Amino acid sequence: MTTKNQVRKNLYFDSVTLMVASSAMRQMEGVINAAVMMGTDHNRDLMTNAGLIGPDTPPFGVNDTVIGVQAQTSQAAEAAIAYFDTFISGKKSAAKTQTQAHATSLPGAKSQYPSTNFAVISVPGRYARAEAEKALGLGLHVLLFSDNVSIQDEVELKEIALEKGLLMMGPDCGTTIINGTALGFANVVRRGKIGLVAAAGTGLQEVTVLIDQLGGGVSQALGTGGRDLKAEVGGRMMSLCLEALRNDPNTQVIVILSKPPAKEVMADMLKQLETVDKPVIAAFLGGDPSMLAGSRVVWADDLEQAAKLAVLAEQGNPIQLPAYDSKKLEHLADTLCAQLLPGQTCLRGLYSGGTLCYETMLLLQKEGISTWSNIALDPAWKLPDGEPSRGDTLLDMGEDFFTNGMPHPMIDFRQRVERMECEAQDDSVAVLLLDCVGGYGTHQDPAGELAPAIQRVKEMAIKAGRELVVIASVTATEGDPQVRSTQIQVLEQAGAVVMPCNAQAARLAACIIRRQRQEGKE
Amino acid sequence: MNDQRIQQLFASQLAVANVGVDVFCDAVQAQHVPAVQVDWRPPAGGDVRLAQILAKLQNLPDNLIEKANREGFARMEAGDPEWTGMVYAHEVLPDMDRYTIGHAGPPLTWEEMCGPMQGAVLGAIRYEGLAETDEEALKLIHSGRIRFRPNHNVQCVGPMTGMITWSMPLFRVVNKAFGNVAFCTINEGLGKVMRFGANDASVIARLKWLEQVLAPALHRAVELHGPFNLKVIMAKALSMGDEMHQRNIAASSLFARTVLPSLVRVIDDQKVLGEVTDFITGNDQFFLNLAMAACKSICDTVKEIPYCTLVTAMSRNGTNFGIKISALGDQWFQAPVLMPEGLFFPGYGPEDANPDMGDSAITETYGIGGFTMGASPAVVRFVGAESVQAAMDYTSSMYQITQGSNSQLTIPTMDFRGAPMGIDVRKVVDTGVTPVINTGMAHKKAGVGQVGAGIVRAPMDCFTQALEAFAQSLHLA
């Protein structure tokens, strides 16, 4: 075994780029472990503990790129380092050919391009506050993608923003659509009269995509970050966003998406909404319609309902859904159950979108199916990090445990694919649930990444003498770079059942599991 | 609740600055929306506290810093230095006696001085006739009789060791736009010279000749001709391939062409005329000291503007590097000086070199020298830059830390872009880009002289200290 390390002076890359390169290097033949990181103290510790750097590593600082490779042979190690160089030079030449406009600091960007009015910030958490504060100081609206920002900093940033009348979306806000432009992880949707504000990133993606599917359109889709409606933050940004949508002449319908707000925040919000003369639809996932008692706000059970109600309102129809007809779903479940063995009674869901995982959990619960999860509704059902799935399990693979040192599962599918194979080996599993999220910022071909794995897990099941039902939904539009219909086709060809939206995928899964369990009893 | 600016955003073209993961920038551009990628790096070597100070400064009400910096920049633009004659140090400098020695860089004691600086001091004491030998000079120093002070504090600058003593002749440069004055010594030429720490009899003899022969002649030439405008010479020289720190051949030639007609008319003695013209035309770096005085006369006008974060001085004493910033007046911010990287004269190597030294970084403070390397393809080989493109890259990177570009000094090789001017301490800390300086290298042993030339960076610590002190002065840190 050999360890090689190199230091590239004054060469800076963002951590996503380096993580993608590192994980590809780790998969190379003969490579035992590999990492490329910026030379921060934290990374120094990580790489030292991993044995990737040692006393003879050249000195380095925070602006230097450090490469460490452990391999069976020194050729393998050198090949991995060579791979990194090719990877990086590819990145660089791509940047050059696009003649991407560059600046070295936010103030520099603003002075070079004075029309700049918006900042998207995704620096490591500990620097995020400073960058966001700078952006606000420059009069820019902010989408703060970074997480690991303290709640105190969040409150202070939002205070500054409110004072200046600027949007401060985040921290930990992944999705927004401004003037029809998708920012962060967001989709290309038709423009229209529905204005949305959400404390749930993939929730906002799912609803905007569904609105587009249903023929509706979006004026603005704003994010607040997941903690905005907690008591500490007090719904500061939600309140400003609602005010903006109320005054926006192009917004005729308002949609709110969130987990249930803190009680006092809810009260303030309802008070603010009293004077809004546009229809308001709210999906407070995990809440109860009684929360809206006495207000004109229309309750939506889930993301699908929120989208449907919003489109009805946009088209000037009564904001009421027809009674739910489950016949088609039951019929489909019948066909699928016919392939399964009686002992297959469990489901597993692997999600890249946190809100999609959460929505599924709620829908299953309503159907009487409690699930283990890393983001469980009830702490008693929390699946400890690193443990294998048990019974019915839903995992949000965008959570810290999975993303620590790895890119987000919407960008890098390796962890999800590995986990799919684990789940498929369990002979009690009947259904594997997957999301497939497209749009800008996400992987250029998520279905293409999932399809071979779907084929593989289905073959594994067949070899073991059973079938495995894979149910997926695609959060993407025809206008997205990935193209919805193409993604669906790829998944279907791989053998997945593709449902029109996440809620329906969850309902179908519930239907199958209930039948399998009844059958077991009979 | 005020949502006017959000309504404005909804009604206007979105234009994005992306800080961090570049995929998000590509995505915006793919949607045909303007986006600029900010090549973000952890500010100030990853110091979160400094990052937050920068953010707080950005949020000061009324754009106070930006306004102050614009004022500072405008003063630099307006600067109009003229050479108005020769003076002797004791005639013009405040609080001066024969035992006062001005040196380059921030203040330091005899014990802290590097070899060349000590060598120069011993020579300077002998030059003033205070001691016959180095031993006697040393005695004087140890008795505490000799008083050291930075040139910068008395409107002066001097290259390398920067010795300024009682009898020394100085160029007097007046910034006509503001009426302030700056002084610099006469360049001694190459070889064994006091600025590199040499101090033997030939060095002292040359200094005496400068004092007694050259200076009076130059002064009479100015009297005859009237003041010489220096910015004009600097602008022309920049377009002729000088960066005016390590390369001054064009500027020196232009200067000679300008001054010789007057000189020949004021020197009657043919032998003296021969010596004087030989000296001026035989020293490619003759103009450097005039450029330094010109830069000093301009940078001094930026001092003490409240809230102004522009750098007004960068200088090195061979031990420490020091800077001053406008808002904090004459306070020095120091850090150990770095070692230049560059090329060595035959027979010398890195082990012979003394760390960076001299007040000549006043040229970079104004925005020439290392900042205009891109104008000077010919200096590239001399200072050991990798290529002409590398020289342009150095210049390009300096725009990231400066307030603007100089409308009068333009760089032909870079599409006549103005030289980067007005170093903003905030930008240095924010971008992690430190000023680049072209410099000569002295031998670390006193008396040997110049061993090479190269490129050195101003140490980041000076800038972080200055930024912190500035924030403290505003009660922000």
Side-chain angles (χ1 to χ4, degrees), chain A residues 10 12 14 16 62-63 91 98 100-107 109 113 115-124 126-127 129-131 133-134 137-139 141 145 160 164-167 178-179 181-185 220 239-240 243-244 247-248 440-441, chain B residues 1-31 33-48 51-52 54-56 58-59 63 400 427 430-433:
Chain A
N10 249 323
Y12 184 85
D14 64 75
V16 174
V62 70
N63 283 328
K91 274 240 148 201
Q98 283 177 350
Q100 206 181 40
H102 280 268
T104 40
S105 65
L106 260 176
Y113 304 93
S115 62
T116 303
N117 49 21
F118 199 98
V120 177
I121 299 172
S122 55
V123 300
R126 59 190 181 284
Y127 304 108
R129 185 213 155 119
E131 289 302 319
E133 194 171 341
K134 261 192 258 174
L138 292 164
H141 301 275
F145 188 85
I160 297 171
K164 296 176 183 274
L166 293 167
L167 290 170
I178 301 286
N179 303 348
T181 303
L183 298 171
F185 293 148
Q220 308 287 347
S239 165
L240 180 63
E243 195 63 18
N247 294 332
D248 173 24
Y440 278 109
Chain B
M1 210 175 302
N2 172 10
D3 70 329
Q4 257 177 21
R5 290 170 93 163
I6 305 177
Q7 300 306 334
Q8 270 169 25
L9 173 71
F10 289 170
S12 35
Q13 165 70 55
L14 180 68
V16 175
N18 183 61
V19 193
V21 185
D22 61 1
V23 188
F24 293 141
C25 187
D26 299 342
V28 176
Q29 289 174 336
Q31 297 171 77
V33 169
V36 50
Q37 172 68 17
V38 176
D39 292 332
W40 185 87
R41 291 169 173 230
D47 189 326
V48 174
Q52 288 178 349
L54 284 168
K56 287 209 181 82
Q58 192 74 58
N59 271 292
N63 248 346
Q400 298 166 9
K427 294 183 180 173
D430 200 356
T431 59
V433 174

Side-chain angles (χ1 to χ4, degrees), chain A residues 152-222:
Chain A
Q152 176 69 27
D153 283 343
E154 176 169 354
V155 170
E156 287 175 22
L157 285 173
K158 285 181 173 171
E159 277 297 305
I160 297 171
L162 284 176
E163 203 175 293
K164 296 176 183 274
L166 293 167
L167 290 170
M168 174 65 234
M169 301 189 277
D172 206 7
C173 177
T175 302
T176 185
I177 301 172
I178 301 286
N179 303 348
T181 303
L183 298 171
F185 293 148
N187 304 82
V188 179
V189 301
R190 189 179 305 110
R191 294 212 70 183
K193 298 179 199 150
I194 302 173
L196 302 96
V197 51
T202 18
L204 191 54
Q205 280 195 271
E206 175 81 354
V207 174
T208 52
V209 165
L210 281 169
I211 287 172
D212 186 82
Q213 283 296 108
L214 295 164
V218 169
S219 55
Q220 308 287 347
L222 310 174

Side-chain angles (χ1 to χ4, degrees), chain B residues 149-170:
Chain B
R149 71 174 181 195
N151 296 330
H152 256 291
N153 290 7
V154 286
Q155 293 158 271
C156 291
V157 279
M160 299 307 288
T161 59
M163 293 294 110
I164 295 183
T165 61
W166 175 269
S167 319
M168 280 190 189
L170 305 172

Side-chain angles (χ1 to χ4, degrees), chain B residues 316-345:
Chain B
R316 319 84 101 195
N317 57 30
T319 305
N320 284 323
F321 194 113
I323 69 163
K324 297 180 180 181
I325 67 167
S326 172
L328 300 180
D330 271 324
Q331 203 178 339
W332 285 101
F333 300 97
Q334 301 181 52
V337 77
L338 302 175
M339 208 66 190
E341 286 177 23
L343 296 180
F344 291 87
F345 297 157

Side-chain angles (χ1 to χ4, degrees), chain B residues 190-415:
Chain B
L190 282 173
K192 278 193 177 176
V193 287
M194 184 171 276
R195 72 175 188 281
F196 285 103
N199 64 9
D200 67 14
S202 70
V203 173
I204 308 294
R206 186 187 306 104
L207 287 173
K208 282 291 161 194
W209 181 81
L210 296 180
E211 174 194 329
Q212 287 158 9
V213 180
L214 181 62
L218 285 170
H219 189 69
R220 287 198 302 277
V222 179
E223 279 181 334
L224 178 67
H225 173 276
F228 289 83
N229 189 303
L230 297 176
K231 215 171 195 177
V232 170
I233 294 180
M234 289 162 75
K236 284 184 186 165
L238 198 67
S239 71
M240 292 165 74
D242 281 357
E243 38 71 89
M244 263 163 293
H245 190 167
Q246 278 311 296
R247 183 182 152 96
N248 276 285
I249 187 165
S252 298
S253 305
L254 288 169
F255 174 76
R257 199 174 75 148
T258 315
V259 77
L260 286 182
S262 305
L263 267 180
V264 295
R265 286 177 173 85
V266 297
I267 303 175
D268 298 328
D269 186 327
Q270 282 296 307
K271 186 170 159 286
V272 171
L273 182 60
E275 283 171 10
V276 165
T277 51
D278 282 351
F279 187 82
I280 292 174
T281 56
N283 180 3
D284 290 350
Q285 285 288 74
F286 189 88
F287 191 77
L288 170 63
N289 297 34
L290 276 159
M292 286 171 59
C295 293
K296 174 69 172 164
S297 78
I298 293 172
C299 292
D300 272 357
T301 63
V302 184
K303 277 167 99 169
E304 290 178 37
I305 303 173
Y307 296 101
C308 179
T309 56
L310 299 188
V311 174
T312 58
M314 295 195 289
S315 185
R316 319 84 101 195
N317 57 30
T319 305
N320 284 323
F321 194 113
I323 69 163
K324 297 180 180 181
I325 67 167
S326 172
L328 300 180
D330 271 324
Q331 203 178 339
W332 285 101
F333 300 97
Q334 301 181 52
V337 77
L338 302 175
M339 208 66 190
E341 286 177 23
L343 296 180
F344 291 87
F345 297 157
Y348 297 108
E351 64 285 355
D352 300 311
N354 194 74
D356 189 26
M357 186 164 61
D359 287 331
S360 56
I362 191 69
T363 55
E364 280 84 7
T365 314
Y366 171 55
I368 54 176
F371 281 46
T372 47
M373 235 190 296
S376 188
V379 87
V380 163
R381 305 297 285 273
F382 185 54
V383 295
E386 310 88 272
S387 62
V388 173
Q389 185 56 48
M392 292 190 196
D393 290 346
Y394 277 119
T395 293
S396 296
S397 67
M398 291 301 103
Y399 293 103
Q400 298 166 9
I401 57 170
T402 45
Q403 175 72 20
S405 51
N406 190 324
S407 64
Q408 289 149 53
L409 300 189
T410 59
I411 304 175
T413 47
M414 296 177 73
D415 273 338

